[in-house]
Amino acid sequence: MKLSILFILILLIVDVMCRKRGKRRRKKIITIIDCDLRAGSVVNHEFVVRCPPGCREKRVPVWGTGHYASISSICGAAIHSGMIRSSGGPVRVKKSSGRSDYLSSVLHNIRSLPLPKWSGSFQLSAKDARLKKGERARIKYVRPVSSSVSLRRKFRKKSTNSPTTRMATTIAATSVTPIATTNLTTISNPTTTTLHMVTQPQPPSSAVTTVVNSRRIEAKWPVKHNYSYGVSSQHSWPWNLLREADAKIRAMKPKLSPSLEHPRKPKIKINSSSFNRSSSSSSSSSSSSSSTRNTTPKPTTLPPPKLDCKVDVAFLMEGSWSIGKRRFAIQKSFLGNVVKAMGVGPQGAAVGLVQFGNEPTTEFNLKSQWTSKEAIAAIQGIKQQGGYSNVGKGLQHVYKTFFLAKSGNRGRAPNVAVVLLDGWPSDAVKEPARLAREAGINIFMVTVEEADQEEKKLVSEADFVNQAVCRTSGYFSLSVPSWNEVHKFVRPLVERVCTAEKLLCSKTCLNSADISFVVDGSSSVGSNNFRTVLQFVANVSRSFDISDTATRISMVQYTYEQRVEFPFNKSNNKEDVLNAIQHVNYWNGGTATGAAINYAVRNLFSTTKPNKRKILIVITDGRSYDDVRGPSADAHKKGVIGYAVGIAWAAHEELMAIASKPEKEHVFFANEFGAVSAVVSQIVTNICKEFNEQPRN
């Protein structure tokens, strides 16, 4: 009896010890993640993960120093901060709120990129990178992630010395296939976590398949267990089948890639000198790693050079650190193809190039290169400057300094700015783009790997493309999904840039003026005739392209006094202007035309941009009670172009004083109010004639 009791106690003690040992073992299990998993893709506020070996050789995106933006790779930030080495290791991640001005630095051979702001941050710690009491090892993801993320770090110790095991373990941990000739794939039931997982509904069997030089070796076994890494000792790998596959591989040893000889140190050909902005989430880590290996863009057939592409083009190329050296080289190749297709020459296109990073730099202007061959050679010699993606500063540089006569601007050719952007800009583009459009520059935006919905939280102007381009119709913007596909867009870009009649932001007589109507509202006009005059104002306004960056319209009504019926900045489109004209009320009073001219010049044209033409159209039916010569002469000295429209009893000498020279082209007369409508086409024609006789820019 005593022996039975003693035996039972021993069994209970052994059971308790096994349970405690199992608990301790489970507590030490830490989730292994992919090298490019971002902190923002994890729901947990604080968690511990293990980075696999080989992350240094991958292009892992990192933004910031010390405090990293949550869009950064966890493993990349860990290597950058010195928490782990190339062999990998555990780190504790602590997430926090967003910050501003993430700093760029180069630490441990990894360059982190600068960032103006981001919605979330995180810090890393290696000292307490172990699971605390009660802390769960499992982490939750914002999106479903590939199964390779949930690999466990524990493998069965008794079989770790097998060559095939070492090879499978190394490749599974790094998620990188050594060179393109070898691909190890494990197919399992849906709950199994393996290298590159292929999930099939209720498969009849599972297999370890090794492809070597297009030859396939398979080792099959029935689906009976869940062969997960280190979850339970009773579910183990079928090592005997793996050994058979290993023996077959060794039999083909002379045909294997050298990287299979040493599975722990695969020879991976990856250009780690540049770190590119990645818009892919952790859910597509397997597909993204395979796509980065095919870095050479496919050759495309270029269109023949255009012989009638007479435009002046400024290319704004991305030079920030985010684009990386490889993509910078692809960008230069793309620009060279565009230049070749445009046909650069005295009778064709004139091109110049501005590189933007922290600050814009003119690499060469419009008069530097007179042939496509010279321009392509100059493009290939450009070196990347680094820094932020300050597109706004680049546009400001272009409209202020680039399209000048001394820089080679030909005047009669449309001005075009083509912006190549990797992802999104670091600064605001709305105001510089508006000023560039006002200067008559047609802005095209070519965005490559555009920001996704998460990344758009970073951008101060989420709709930056539509705020920058000449028109929001889609004609002036191209969205390229990948830098490997950018050469497919050479032809569409060249055809759009070289179609002069569709370059709507070019300065013309109809979109480059501030026009103010000074309308006589004296008692001699009368209410009905005043409505006729308003219709004349509406008909003239309808002929122009009205917007805040094109032609603007304002109106002053006067008697002895003056009042602004609507200023330049109140009505920013044609419909608003016509509606404002209809709601002007007749004033009734005396006639002081000279004072009205002074009032309009002082209160309206003081806000006109320097590149806008100032046009003053005075409409009166009688003689003024004050002097018009002095106010008119002062207006002409300030650059105001005067047009005089006289009706019925208007004094001819006063109309001549109001008008600019030559007076015969700026004075119009109608014998009665009903005949004033015939003046509309004449005045618009003369405004355009005067514009076309002057330099375009």
Side-chain angles (χ1 to χ4, degrees):
M1 182 70 180
K2 291 182 179 180
L3 291 175
S4 300
I5 295 174
L6 181 61
F7 182 72
I8 292 173
L9 289 174
I10 292 173
L11 290 177
L12 290 174
I13 292 172
V14 170
D15 182 66
V16 170
M17 293 177 64
C18 290
R19 289 177 180 272
K20 289 184 177 180
R21 184 181 179 185
K23 288 183 179 180
R24 288 197 298 269
R25 183 174 297 177
R26 284 194 295 272
K27 286 182 180 179
K28 294 180 181 179
I29 296 175
I30 299 176
T31 302
I32 295 179
I33 61 174
D34 279 341
C35 294
D36 57 355
L37 179 67
R38 307 178 184 186
S41 299
V42 180
V43 176
N44 306 51
H45 180 72
E46 183 175 344
F47 53 94
V48 179
V49 291
R50 176 178 291 275
C51 292
C55 289
R56 186 186 297 276
E57 286 77 17
K58 291 190 174 183
R59 285 188 293 270
V60 285
V62 180
W63 284 270
T65 302
H67 283 83
Y68 299 95
S70 59
I71 197 175
S72 302
S73 159
I74 296 175
C75 297
I79 297 175
H80 178 267
S81 61
M83 300 292 178
I84 63 173
R85 297 182 180 181
S86 297
S87 58
V91 290
R92 178 172 292 276
V93 182
K94 297 180 180 180
K95 299 170 71 174
S96 57
S97 58
R99 298 166 58 90
S100 299
D101 295 328
Y102 293 91
L103 301 178
S104 172
S105 62
V106 180
L107 297 174
H108 304 96
N109 294 325
I110 287 187
R111 179 183 295 279
S112 68
L113 304 175
L115 208 58
K117 67 174 183 178
W118 188 251
S119 56
S121 304
F122 70 94
Q123 290 181 288
L124 300 171
S125 174
K127 294 182 180 179
D128 55 347
R130 61 181 61 185
L131 296 174
K132 301 177 182 178
K133 185 176 181 180
E135 186 177 7
R136 302 185 65 178
R138 180 176 297 180
I139 59 176
K140 297 181 180 180
Y141 301 97
V142 176
R143 304 184 183 92
V145 298
S146 61
S147 59
S148 59
V149 174
S150 58
L151 289 171
R152 302 296 183 178
R153 72 180 179 91
K154 285 189 173 290
F155 299 86
R156 293 199 61 182
K157 295 182 179 179
K158 64 180 181 180
S159 300
T160 53
N161 293 327
S162 170
T164 308
T165 305
R166 292 199 305 269
M167 180 178 67
T169 303
T170 304
I171 300 177
T174 57
S175 297
V176 175
T177 304
I179 309 187
T181 59
T182 303
N183 183 18
L184 180 63
T185 306
T186 301
I187 307 174
S188 67
N189 53 5
T191 58
T192 302
T193 301
T194 53
L195 176 63
H196 293 300
M197 186 171 185
V198 180
T199 304
Q200 298 177 350
Q202 300 297 329
S205 64
S206 300
V208 173
T209 303
T210 303
V211 181
V212 182
N213 294 337
S214 301
R215 296 182 61 183
R216 186 177 298 271
I217 303 172
E218 297 186 357
K220 297 184 179 179
W221 64 90
V223 177
K224 184 177 180 181
H225 298 292
N226 180 10
Y227 298 105
S228 300
Y229 287 101
V231 176
S232 174
S233 61
Q234 70 182 32
H235 300 309
S236 60
W237 280 74
W239 301 109
N240 57 329
L241 297 178
L242 286 174
R243 291 191 187 98
E244 292 178 7
D246 180 62
K248 294 181 180 181
I249 293 174
R250 289 180 179 275
M252 299 172 59
K253 186 173 181 180
K255 299 181 181 181
L256 289 178
S257 169
S259 60
L260 274 179
E261 297 295 327
H262 306 284
R264 292 181 179 271
K265 298 180 180 180
K267 298 179 180 180
I268 304 171
K269 297 181 180 181
I270 293 179
N271 181 9
S272 59
S273 61
S274 61
F275 300 88
N276 304 310
R277 180 184 294 142
S278 173
S279 60
S280 61
S281 64
S282 58
S283 62
S284 60
S285 60
S286 298
S287 61
S288 64
S289 63
S290 62
S291 64
T292 55
R293 288 192 292 271
N294 301 324
T295 57
T296 304
K298 296 181 180 179
T300 57
T301 303
L302 297 178
K306 282 187 168 290
L307 302 177
D308 57 346
C309 184
K310 192 166 185 178
V311 291
D312 291 352
V313 183
F315 292 105
L316 282 81
M317 70 182 303
E318 170 93 56
S320 68
W321 290 128
S322 68
I323 192 174
K325 292 184 178 180
R326 182 187 66 85
R327 297 184 178 189
F328 187 76
I330 295 176
Q331 180 183 211
K332 292 196 295 184
S333 176
F334 169 75
L335 287 174
N337 290 337
V338 171
V339 167
K340 185 176 181 180
M342 291 177 64
V344 177
Q347 303 303 321
V351 299
L353 193 143
V354 173
Q355 182 181 177
F356 62 87
N358 283 337
E359 299 294 335
T361 303
T362 299
E363 300 293 347
F364 58 89
N365 58 28
L366 296 171
K367 67 179 181 181
S368 299
Q369 316 298 332
W370 285 107
T371 65
S372 297
K373 186 176 181 180
E374 292 174 348
I376 293 171
I379 291 172
Q380 294 304 318
I382 295 174
K383 296 182 179 180
Q384 184 180 3
Q385 64 173 250
Y388 289 97
S389 298
N390 289 331
V391 179
K393 287 186 177 180
L395 290 173
Q396 186 178 17
H397 176 79
V398 165
Y399 82 77
K400 282 187 174 181
T401 66
F402 194 86
F403 290 108
L404 303 177
K406 64 180 181 180
S407 300
N409 186 18
R410 294 178 291 183
R412 294 294 174 182
N415 295 158
V416 177
V418 178
V419 181
L420 271 76
L421 179 61
D422 176 58
W424 62 86
S426 301
D427 60 349
V429 303
K430 182 178 180 180
E431 184 63 16
R434 184 185 68 82
L435 295 173
R437 292 194 301 270
E438 286 185 353
I441 301 173
N442 297 271
I443 301 176
F444 287 81
M445 288 287 290
V446 181
T447 54
V448 187
E449 298 180 9
E450 193 173 351
D452 58 24
Q453 293 303 318
E454 181 184 3
E455 292 167 338
K456 283 185 178 179
K457 299 175 184 178
L458 163 72
V459 186
S460 58
E461 298 169 342
D463 195 25
F464 65 89
V465 174
N466 285 335
Q467 291 176 348
V469 295
C470 172
R471 294 290 187 274
T472 58
S473 60
Y475 183 83
F476 292 88
S477 58
L478 291 171
S479 180
V480 184
S482 168
W483 280 101
N484 290 336
E485 302 179 41
V486 71
H487 291 282
K488 299 178 182 178
F489 293 80
V490 172
R491 184 187 297 271
L493 179 61
V494 171
E495 289 178 350
R496 296 185 188 191
V497 169
C498 293
T499 307
E501 59 271 16
K502 293 187 178 181
L503 301 180
L504 302 179
C505 286
S506 299
K507 291 177 67 176
T508 68
C509 61
L510 301 178
N511 67 3
S512 58
D514 281 351
I515 302 175
S516 180
F517 293 92
V518 178
V519 179
D520 186 352
S522 63
S523 56
S524 61
V525 175
S527 179
N528 291 336
N529 290 333
F530 186 76
R531 306 313 302 179
T532 302
V533 172
L534 291 182
Q535 187 60 47
F536 166 80
V537 174
N539 290 339
V540 174
S541 301
R542 193 176 284 111
S543 303
F544 290 87
D545 180 11
I546 299 173
S547 73
D548 59 336
T549 60
T551 293
R552 302 188 300 172
I553 305 293
S554 68
M555 180 176 172
V556 170
Q557 184 181 177
Y558 72 94
T559 56
Y560 284 130
E561 299 177 314
Q562 308 85 29
R563 70 183 183 197
V564 177
E565 299 295 350
F566 54 89
F568 286 126
N569 57 2
K570 182 179 181 181
S571 303
N572 292 328
N573 57 66
K574 191 173 295 186
E575 183 179 356
D576 290 345
V577 168
L578 298 178
N579 184 58
I581 294 171
Q582 289 180 357
H583 288 81
V584 174
N585 296 319
Y586 176 49
W587 202 353
N588 198 349
T591 306
T593 307
I597 294 173
N598 272 335
Y599 180 85
V601 172
R602 183 174 64 252
N603 292 281
L604 295 177
F605 289 114
S606 59
T607 61
T608 298
K609 301 296 181 181
N611 58 342
K612 287 290 189 70
R613 300 170 69 232
K614 306 173 187 178
I615 298 177
L616 181 72
I617 302 176
V618 179
I619 308 167
T620 180
D621 75 328
R623 185 177 293 276
S624 176
Y625 292 163
D626 63 355
D627 176 55
V628 300
R629 296 181 182 275
S632 298
D634 292 339
H636 297 162
K637 290 178 182 178
K638 294 179 180 179
V640 177
I641 302 171
Y643 286 84
V645 180
I647 305 173
W649 302 282
H652 181 73
E653 65 276 10
E654 291 182 354
L655 299 178
M656 297 291 285
I658 295 170
S660 297
K661 295 181 180 180
E663 292 85 353
K664 64 179 181 179
E665 295 183 1
H666 295 81
V667 174
F668 304 90
F669 188 82
N671 293 323
E672 56 183 13
F673 283 92
V676 74
S677 60
V679 178
V680 173
S681 61
Q682 298 177 31
I683 195 169
V684 173
T685 299
N686 282 19
I687 289 174
C688 285
K689 179 182 177 182
E690 183 178 36
F691 173 84
N692 292 328
E693 290 176 350
Q694 297 178 356
R696 283 284 302 277
N697 297 288

PDB file of all heavy atoms in Angstrom, residues 404-417:
ATOM      1  N   LEU A 404      13.751  82.237 -68.120  1.00  0.00           N
ATOM      2  CA  LEU A 404      14.170  83.612 -68.395  1.00  0.00           C
ATOM      3  C   LEU A 404      14.883  83.650 -69.747  1.00  0.00           C
ATOM      4  O   LEU A 404      15.404  82.639 -70.228  1.00  0.00           O
ATOM      5  CB  LEU A 404      15.105  84.128 -67.296  1.00  0.00           C
ATOM      6  CG  LEU A 404      14.560  84.106 -65.865  1.00  0.00           C
ATOM      7  CD1 LEU A 404      15.645  84.571 -64.894  1.00  0.00           C
ATOM      8  CD2 LEU A 404      13.323  84.997 -65.734  1.00  0.00           C
ATOM      9  N   ALA A 405      14.916  84.845 -70.336  1.00  0.00           N
ATOM     10  CA  ALA A 405      15.564  84.990 -71.641  1.00  0.00           C
ATOM     11  C   ALA A 405      17.053  84.642 -71.556  1.00  0.00           C
ATOM     12  O   ALA A 405      17.603  84.002 -72.456  1.00  0.00           O
ATOM     13  CB  ALA A 405      15.375  86.406 -72.162  1.00  0.00           C
ATOM     14  N   LYS A 406      17.694  85.017 -70.454  1.00  0.00           N
ATOM     15  CA  LYS A 406      19.124  84.740 -70.315  1.00  0.00           C
ATOM     16  C   LYS A 406      19.398  83.250 -70.108  1.00  0.00           C
ATOM     17  O   LYS A 406      20.528  82.780 -70.298  1.00  0.00           O
ATOM     18  CB  LYS A 406      19.712  85.539 -69.159  1.00  0.00           C
ATOM     19  CG  LYS A 406      19.159  85.168 -67.795  1.00  0.00           C
ATOM     20  CD  LYS A 406      19.801  86.008 -66.705  1.00  0.00           C
ATOM     21  CE  LYS A 406      19.280  85.631 -65.320  1.00  0.00           C
ATOM     22  NZ  LYS A 406      19.906  86.459 -64.260  1.00  0.00           N
ATOM     23  N   SER A 407      18.371  82.490 -69.703  1.00  0.00           N
ATOM     24  CA  SER A 407      18.522  81.045 -69.519  1.00  0.00           C
ATOM     25  C   SER A 407      18.142  80.255 -70.761  1.00  0.00           C
ATOM     26  O   SER A 407      18.179  79.018 -70.736  1.00  0.00           O
ATOM     27  CB  SER A 407      17.673  80.581 -68.332  1.00  0.00           C
ATOM     28  OG  SER A 407      18.077  81.226 -67.144  1.00  0.00           O
ATOM     29  N   GLY A 408      17.738  80.960 -71.838  1.00  0.00           N
ATOM     30  CA  GLY A 408      17.425  80.283 -73.080  1.00  0.00           C
ATOM     31  C   GLY A 408      15.956  80.192 -73.416  1.00  0.00           C
ATOM     32  O   GLY A 408      15.583  79.514 -74.383  1.00  0.00           O
ATOM     33  N   ASN A 409      15.087  80.858 -72.631  1.00  0.00           N
ATOM     34  CA  ASN A 409      13.661  80.833 -72.949  1.00  0.00           C
ATOM     35  C   ASN A 409      13.417  81.521 -74.292  1.00  0.00           C
ATOM     36  O   ASN A 409      13.803  82.675 -74.494  1.00  0.00           O
ATOM     37  CB  ASN A 409      12.865  81.525 -71.841  1.00  0.00           C
ATOM     38  CG  ASN A 409      11.367  81.400 -72.036  1.00  0.00           C
ATOM     39  OD1 ASN A 409      10.897  80.546 -72.780  1.00  0.00           O
ATOM     40  ND2 ASN A 409      10.627  82.258 -71.361  1.00  0.00           N
ATOM     41  N   ARG A 410      12.749  80.828 -75.207  1.00  0.00           N
ATOM     42  CA  ARG A 410      12.568  81.340 -76.560  1.00  0.00           C
ATOM     43  C   ARG A 410      11.345  82.241 -76.711  1.00  0.00           C
ATOM     44  O   ARG A 410      11.119  82.805 -77.778  1.00  0.00           O
ATOM     45  CB  ARG A 410      12.472  80.164 -77.541  1.00  0.00           C
ATOM     46  CG  ARG A 410      13.762  79.387 -77.634  1.00  0.00           C
ATOM     47  CD  ARG A 410      13.644  78.201 -78.557  1.00  0.00           C
ATOM     48  NE  ARG A 410      12.779  77.156 -78.001  1.00  0.00           N
ATOM     49  CZ  ARG A 410      12.565  75.976 -78.592  1.00  0.00           C
ATOM     50  NH1 ARG A 410      13.179  75.703 -79.742  1.00  0.00           N
ATOM     51  NH2 ARG A 410      11.780  75.081 -78.045  1.00  0.00           N
ATOM     52  N   GLY A 411      10.545  82.376 -75.657  1.00  0.00           N
ATOM     53  CA  GLY A 411       9.442  83.332 -75.693  1.00  0.00           C
ATOM     54  C   GLY A 411       8.213  82.844 -76.410  1.00  0.00           C
ATOM     55  O   GLY A 411       7.139  82.798 -75.846  1.00  0.00           O
ATOM     56  N   ARG A 412       8.346  82.439 -77.662  1.00  0.00           N
ATOM     57  CA  ARG A 412       7.194  82.022 -78.453  1.00  0.00           C
ATOM     58  C   ARG A 412       6.796  80.569 -78.205  1.00  0.00           C
ATOM     59  O   ARG A 412       5.724  80.155 -78.627  1.00  0.00           O
ATOM     60  CB  ARG A 412       7.479  82.218 -79.938  1.00  0.00           C
ATOM     61  CG  ARG A 412       7.629  83.671 -80.337  1.00  0.00           C
ATOM     62  CD  ARG A 412       6.334  84.419 -80.174  1.00  0.00           C
ATOM     63  NE  ARG A 412       6.459  85.850 -80.413  1.00  0.00           N
ATOM     64  CZ  ARG A 412       5.465  86.710 -80.290  1.00  0.00           C
ATOM     65  NH1 ARG A 412       4.282  86.288 -79.910  1.00  0.00           N
ATOM     66  NH2 ARG A 412       5.657  87.994 -80.506  1.00  0.00           N
ATOM     67  N   ALA A 413       7.632  79.783 -77.558  1.00  0.00           N
ATOM     68  CA  ALA A 413       7.328  78.377 -77.297  1.00  0.00           C
ATOM     69  C   ALA A 413       6.651  78.234 -75.934  1.00  0.00           C
ATOM     70  O   ALA A 413       6.991  78.945 -74.984  1.00  0.00           O
ATOM     71  CB  ALA A 413       8.604  77.541 -77.340  1.00  0.00           C
ATOM     72  N   PRO A 414       5.685  77.315 -75.804  1.00  0.00           N
ATOM     73  CA  PRO A 414       5.044  77.080 -74.501  1.00  0.00           C
ATOM     74  C   PRO A 414       6.060  76.614 -73.464  1.00  0.00           C
ATOM     75  O   PRO A 414       7.019  75.903 -73.782  1.00  0.00           O
ATOM     76  CB  PRO A 414       4.018  75.980 -74.799  1.00  0.00           C
ATOM     77  CG  PRO A 414       3.791  76.043 -76.271  1.00  0.00           C
ATOM     78  CD  PRO A 414       5.082  76.499 -76.872  1.00  0.00           C
ATOM     79  N   ASN A 415       5.859  77.019 -72.238  1.00  0.00           N
ATOM     80  CA  ASN A 415       6.731  76.618 -71.131  1.00  0.00           C
ATOM     81  C   ASN A 415       6.105  75.434 -70.400  1.00  0.00           C
ATOM     82  O   ASN A 415       4.945  75.483 -69.991  1.00  0.00           O
ATOM     83  CB  ASN A 415       6.938  77.769 -70.157  1.00  0.00           C
ATOM     84  CG  ASN A 415       7.689  78.939 -70.776  1.00  0.00           C
ATOM     85  OD1 ASN A 415       7.602  80.065 -70.294  1.00  0.00           O
ATOM     86  ND2 ASN A 415       8.418  78.705 -71.862  1.00  0.00           N
ATOM     87  N   VAL A 416       6.893  74.381 -70.212  1.00  0.00           N
ATOM     88  CA  VAL A 416       6.406  73.149 -69.593  1.00  0.00           C
ATOM     89  C   VAL A 416       7.373  72.728 -68.494  1.00  0.00           C
ATOM     90  O   VAL A 416       8.593  72.792 -68.677  1.00  0.00           O
ATOM     91  CB  VAL A 416       6.275  72.012 -70.633  1.00  0.00           C
ATOM     92  CG1 VAL A 416       5.843  70.708 -69.962  1.00  0.00           C
ATOM     93  CG2 VAL A 416       5.278  72.394 -71.722  1.00  0.00           C
ATOM     94  N   ALA A 417       6.822  72.303 -67.352  1.00  0.00           N
ATOM     95  CA  ALA A 417       7.616  71.722 -66.270  1.00  0.00           C
ATOM     96  C   ALA A 417       7.114  70.305 -66.021  1.00  0.00           C
ATOM     97  O   ALA A 417       5.928  70.107 -65.737  1.00  0.00           O
ATOM     98  CB  ALA A 417       7.504  72.556 -65.001  1.00  0.00           C
TER      99      ALA A 417
END
